């Protein structure tokens, strides 16, 4: 979560040869976005603590031995930054290639766009390149976990943990290429601490975590975002006042999310707001109705 | 914190092991914030269980989580991070056989083949015992090496080096006897580690081999604790002035000026300050810190105490790699002796310094030698490195200003304080002051730990070690370990300094010198190095997690490639290397391609010079 540390002090810095200023405490990514430099991110989300693990946002900082992650490097006075040098492009391209060669990124729309932008060719590592392919986990009626699509961005762990839900049902387990998101001893979600708030799904950038409703429609070939409407409303279950974005297709609710920039929810909901809408689609509720 | 816990119960043994560490479990005992503040006891608790029963079951993990208020998923993430901890049943007795670079040169592949024939596949339980492959065990001068771990009421970690089928057979078959410690003949043969023992020019190694390393009186009699006494006279600022004047640079591999580190921590207004000794020596081919801890433990403790005095710290930690059983035993014993003699504790030497040291034990993870990963490991988290900045001098252990120094670096501090920084700076070369320990292994007549003045040539060091064994022709030297580079026979006149090694596109690193004669398949060595990094990557950042896999795959393809395929593969390897170097979070990923790229550039077994 980015915290405003604006003390009135502004630093002068240079991005791609253009002079600019930024408040103390801002990150390089904040500055890039403020001046309109399109910077790819995968593990970064405004509402979560930056973990800077995907390394797709790296930039070249004059005087630094290695590239630095824009998402978490705080600006200093006099920084000279290049975001589009060949060195930066090469790193970003290969990070995307590494991921796309090991993970099914077919549903990661923003990543697809960045792969096109950087000319990523994940097939260059050969047909035998090791992947994280594995069976889909379906062990409950609300979530589907398809870790063949997981890029290990840590967002779900953060949302489940102290950045949002404080449930701690999942964590990273294993090491190296075998590192993966897991419950304790890989028990199913019904046996874990999971409270089905859906916040992990809300932050997943690749479709590895999905609501059963969406998963089933995708399997049946009926999921069609072009036909979907989004309607904002306020959750009526308690007095907190969370904004719900109701996604409907053909006048049927297909999922519920919340805007990430909403100052009450930061995109996060509880099980009631997230899933307590099934009754809406039930046509005949009363014998006299 | 309202946690959802595992319902499995621990066995009586598991419970007893945990209670021995944490005290008896009280239903209304420690809870809430107080319990959560004990998170740093997670790894010690996991060790306690593994020491007792050999592995960590659901019941045991669940019990630890309840005791420490740690979410079970989180704790599972921690236990599954470490090689020496298993969440699958493992027999109480294991023998881990090193198949890393130095042991390859000593024929470990044949040994492992024999063990496999005799005892079946790796990991298979064989009447209460199993054998496993292991990355470098830090016993390279006595390769091939193996490590015996036996769980029980009296757990044991013992080295078998040099290992042979007979000693491994004895260890695996004679489990009860080995577990009871009746293991004569299977321990390390110590003297052969120090071919220079007793030579008058030695500085760092001068006390070694002169009697019982745990005899505190003998240590003091030989001038021990004179440096700390002098430090008290100099005052904290005076000590830091001497360290700065000495131009001492860190010996762990990163070569950062020690004095600047100490000065920065001393000036930090936030307290407490911590002193951490990084003894997680895991770079393949490195064993210097093990020998220092085993043979001169009071020197390490005295130096840490000086660091604490200089930077204003009351608590030190020494993080020793889990494979170093004897080093840990001796450091623990030396700390106890120092404490009893008033050299640690509430009023050190009655000079008003409060300082004590806690020993922490690694659990099989090369990455925990990276300073911020080490902090996370001590704190009870996965050993994943943190992004820098902030640097440890500002936000280190428990988020507080921390000095973290390698064992060898610290031992240098004693002479600097005693004789003055300027005297020390005069030794060696202008860009590299002092002496340096080199871990010489592989095909030399006398492998072992050598201390030479910075600037000595690699050729002189190899000559001192008796040259290539049997007078055979030298093929190459791996300097700096898996994160290092190859040096060829025509480059041996390069001086062993930071600049000198740069001249031949190598780096001193932690002082590894592995010698290969013509019989070694260097392409296999390079593939082993790639496998090492793939296995040791923590998995946090993409460039390293996936890059180390792609690098290994590419090397495997290169071994079979022809014509244009060779060029394509080499180009791909360079690109992978560049991205790992540029975009990885920490030094592991940033150096994971060093030896590979060095091999591609220099070794005739690759590229154009390769026989078709």
């Amino acid at each position: 979560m980015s915290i405003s540390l604006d003390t009135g002090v502004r630093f002068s810095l240079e991005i791609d040869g253009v002079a600019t200023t930024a408040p103390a405490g801002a990150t390089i990514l904040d500055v890039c976005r403020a001046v309109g430099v399109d910077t790819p991110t995968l593990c970064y989300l405004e509402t979560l603590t930056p973990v800077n693990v995907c390394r797709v946002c790296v930039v070249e900082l004059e005087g630094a031995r290695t590239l630095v992650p824009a998402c978490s490097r705080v600006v200093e006075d006099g920084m000279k930054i290049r975001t589009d040098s060949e060195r930066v492009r090469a790193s970003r391209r290969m990070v995307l290639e590494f991921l796309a060669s090991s993970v099914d990124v077919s549903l990661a729309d923003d990543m697809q766009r960045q792969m096109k932008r950087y000319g990523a060719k994940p097939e260059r590592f050969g047909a035998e390149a090791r992947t994280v392919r594995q069976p889909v986990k379906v062990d409950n009626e609300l979530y589907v976990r398809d870790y063949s699509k997981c890029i290990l961005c840590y967002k779900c762990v953060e949302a489940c943990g102290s950045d949002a839900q404080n449930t701690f049902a999942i964590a990273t387990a294993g090491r190296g290429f075998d590192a993966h998101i897991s419950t304790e001893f890989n028990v199913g979600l019904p046996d874990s601490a999971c409270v089905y708030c859906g916040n992990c799904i809300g932050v997943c950038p690749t479709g590895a975590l999905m609501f059963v409703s969406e998963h089933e429609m995708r399997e049946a070939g009926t999921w069609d975002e072009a036909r979907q409407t989004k309607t904002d409303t306020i959750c009526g279950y308690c007095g907190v006042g969370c904004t719900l974005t109701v996604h409907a297709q053909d006048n049927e609710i297909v999922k519920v999310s919340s805007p990430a920039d909403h100052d009450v929810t930061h995109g996060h909901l509880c099980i009631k707001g997230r899933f307590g809408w099934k009754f809406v689609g039930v046509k005949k509720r009363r014998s006299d109705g | 914190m309202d946690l959802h816990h595992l319902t499995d119960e621990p066995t009586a043994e598991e419970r007893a092991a945990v209670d021995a560490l944490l005290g008896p479990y009280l239903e209304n005992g420690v809870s809430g914030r107080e319990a959560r503040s004990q998170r740093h006891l997670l790894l010690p608790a996991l060790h306690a269980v593994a020491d007792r029963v050999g592995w960590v079951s659901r019941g045991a993990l669940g019990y630890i989580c309840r005791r420490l208020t740690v979410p079970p998923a989180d704790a599972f993430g921690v236990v599954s991070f470490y090689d020496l901890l298993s969440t699958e049943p493992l027999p109480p007795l294991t023998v881990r056989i090193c198949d890393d670079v130095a042991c390859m040169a000593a024929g470990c592949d044949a040994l492992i083949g024999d063990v496999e024939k005799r005892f079946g596949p790796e990991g298979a339980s064989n009447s209460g015992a199993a054998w496993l492959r292991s990355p470098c065990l830090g016993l390279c001068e006595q390769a091939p090496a193996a490590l015996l771990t036996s769980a029980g009421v009296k757990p044991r970690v013992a080295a078998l080096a040099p290992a042979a089928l007979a000693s491994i057979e004895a260890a695996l078959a004679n489990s009860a006897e080995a577990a009871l410690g009746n293991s004569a003949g299977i321990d390390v043969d110590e003297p052969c580690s120090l071919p220079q023992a007793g030579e008058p020019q030695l500085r760092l190694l001068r006390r070694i081999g002169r009697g019982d390393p745990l005899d505190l009186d003998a240590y003091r009699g030989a001038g021990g604790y004179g440096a700390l006494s002098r430090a008290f006279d100099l005052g904290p600022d005076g000590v830091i002035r001497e360290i700065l004047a000495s131009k001492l640079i860190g010996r762990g591999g990163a070569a950062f000026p020690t004095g600047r580190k100490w000065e920065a921590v001393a000036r930090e207004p936030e307290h407490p300050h911590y002193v951490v000794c990084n003894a997680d020596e895991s770079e393949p081919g490195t064993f210097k810190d093990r020998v220092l801890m085993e043979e001169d433990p009071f020197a390490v403790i005295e130096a840490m105490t000086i660091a604490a005095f200089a930077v204003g710290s009351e608590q030190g930690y020494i993080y020793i790699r889990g494979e170093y059983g004897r080093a840990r035993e001796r450091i623990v014993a030396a700390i106890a002796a120092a404490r009893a003699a008033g050299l640690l504790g509430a009023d050190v030497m009655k000079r008003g310094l409060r300082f004590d040291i806690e020993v922490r034990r690694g659990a099989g993870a090369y990455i925990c030698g990276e300073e911020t990963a080490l902090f996370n490991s001590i704190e009870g988290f996965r050993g994943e490195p943190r992004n820098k900045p902030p640097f440890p001098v500002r936000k280190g252990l428990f988020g507080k200003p921390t000095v973290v120094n390698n064992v060898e670096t610290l031992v240098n501090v004693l002479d600097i304080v005693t004789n003055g920084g300027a005297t020390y700076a005069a030794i060696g070369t202008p860009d590299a002051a002092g002496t340096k320990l080199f871990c010489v292994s592989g095909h030399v007549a006398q492998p072992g730990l050598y201390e030479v003045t910075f600037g000595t040539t690699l050729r002189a060091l190899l000559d001192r070690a008796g040259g290539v064994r049997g007078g055979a022709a030298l093929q190459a030297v791996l300097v700096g370990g898996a994160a290092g580079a190859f040096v060829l026979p025509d480059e041996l006149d390069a001086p062993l300094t930071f600049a000198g090694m740069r001249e031949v596109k190598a780096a001193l690193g932690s002082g590894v010198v592995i010698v290969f004669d013509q019989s070694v398949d260097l392409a296999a060595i390079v593939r082993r190095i790639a496998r090492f990094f793939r296995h040791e990557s923590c998995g946090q950042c993409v460039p390293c997690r996936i890059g180390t896999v792609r690098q290994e795959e590419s090397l495997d393809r290169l071994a079979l490639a022809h014509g244009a395929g060779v060029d394509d593969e080499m180009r791909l390897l360079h690109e992978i290397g560049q991205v790992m170097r540029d975009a990885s979070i920490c030094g592991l990923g940033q150096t994971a391609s060093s030896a590979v790229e060095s091999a591609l550039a220099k070794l005739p077994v690759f590229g154009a010079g390769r026989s078709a």
Side-chain angles (χ1 to χ4, degrees), chain B residues 253-392:
Chain B
F256 189 83
T258 306
R260 275 175 48 202
K261 231 185 234 187
W262 288 23
E263 187 179 37
V265 173
R267 284 181 182 169
E268 276 297 319
E270 197 183 351
H271 280 266
H273 294 175
Y274 292 106
V275 170
V276 175
C277 173
N278 184 346
D280 191 47
E281 172 175 78
S282 314
E283 184 65 48
T286 318
F287 49 87
K288 64 190 178 65
D289 295 341
R290 171 179 60 78
V291 175
L292 288 174
M293 287 187 287
E294 287 177 352
E295 305 300 332
D296 205 4
F298 290 112
V300 182
I301 294 164
E302 183 184 355
M304 282 181 75
T305 313
I306 293 172
F309 175 67
V311 306
S313 166
E314 295 188 351
Q315 182 63 51
Y317 288 86
I318 175 161
Y319 186 98
I320 305 176
R321 77 175 291 200
E323 292 85 347
Y324 282 180
R326 169 176 287 166
R328 190 174 71 249
E329 280 165 26
R330 292 199 177 163
I331 288 284
V332 167
I335 287 173
R339 208 178 278 141
L343 299 168
L344 284 175
D347 188 9
V348 175
M349 288 180 106
K350 298 204 169 27
R351 300 288 294 261
L353 173 71
R354 173 187 287 275
F355 181 64
D356 214 324
I357 300 172
E358 208 173 296
V359 176
R360 289 306 175 98
R361 172 181 168 195
Y366 170 70
I367 186 59
C368 290
E370 197 282 337
E371 54 196 13
T372 58
L374 189 155
F375 300 151
N376 277 342
S377 183
I378 291 180
E379 291 178 29
F381 297 92
R382 291 163 58 79
E384 292 175 352
R386 303 172 185 168
N387 204 51
K388 291 187 274 196
F391 290 96

Side-chain angles (χ1 to χ4, degrees), chain B residues 311-495:
Chain B
V311 306
S313 166
E314 295 188 351
Q315 182 63 51
Y317 288 86
I318 175 161
Y319 186 98
I320 305 176
R321 77 175 291 200
E323 292 85 347
Y324 282 180
R326 169 176 287 166
R328 190 174 71 249
E329 280 165 26
R330 292 199 177 163
I331 288 284
V332 167
I335 287 173
R339 208 178 278 141
L343 299 168
L344 284 175
D347 188 9
V348 175
M349 288 180 106
K350 298 204 169 27
R351 300 288 294 261
L353 173 71
R354 173 187 287 275
F355 181 64
D356 214 324
I357 300 172
E358 208 173 296
V359 176
R360 289 306 175 98
R361 172 181 168 195
Y366 170 70
I367 186 59
C368 290
E370 197 282 337
E371 54 196 13
T372 58
L374 189 155
F375 300 151
N376 277 342
S377 183
I378 291 180
E379 291 178 29
F381 297 92
R382 291 163 58 79
E384 292 175 352
R386 303 172 185 168
N387 204 51
K388 291 187 274 196
F391 290 96
V393 293
R394 289 201 53 218
K395 290 197 179 301
L397 186 63
F398 301 112
K400 302 296 177 189
T402 302
V403 158
V404 50
N405 285 137
N406 164 265
V407 175
E408 182 189 350
T409 312
L410 283 167
V411 173
N412 275 284
V413 163
L414 302 178
D415 279 2
I416 294 169
V417 172
T418 305
N419 306 325
T423 309
Y424 183 93
I427 308 162
T429 69
D431 89 313
T435 58
K436 175 80 193 89
L437 298 182
F438 286 96
C439 312
V440 182
S441 66
H443 295 134
V444 286
Q446 270 189 300
L449 186 60
Y450 290 86
E451 178 178 4
V452 297
T453 308
F454 270 116
T456 306
T457 63
L458 183 53
R459 188 185 303 282
L461 176 64
L462 295 188
D463 286 347
R464 178 62 193 81
V468 180
R469 200 169 61 201
L474 176 69
Q475 188 177 186
V477 182
L478 180 61
V479 176
F486 291 93
V487 175
L488 298 183
D490 61 4
E491 297 171 326
L492 295 185
D493 291 317

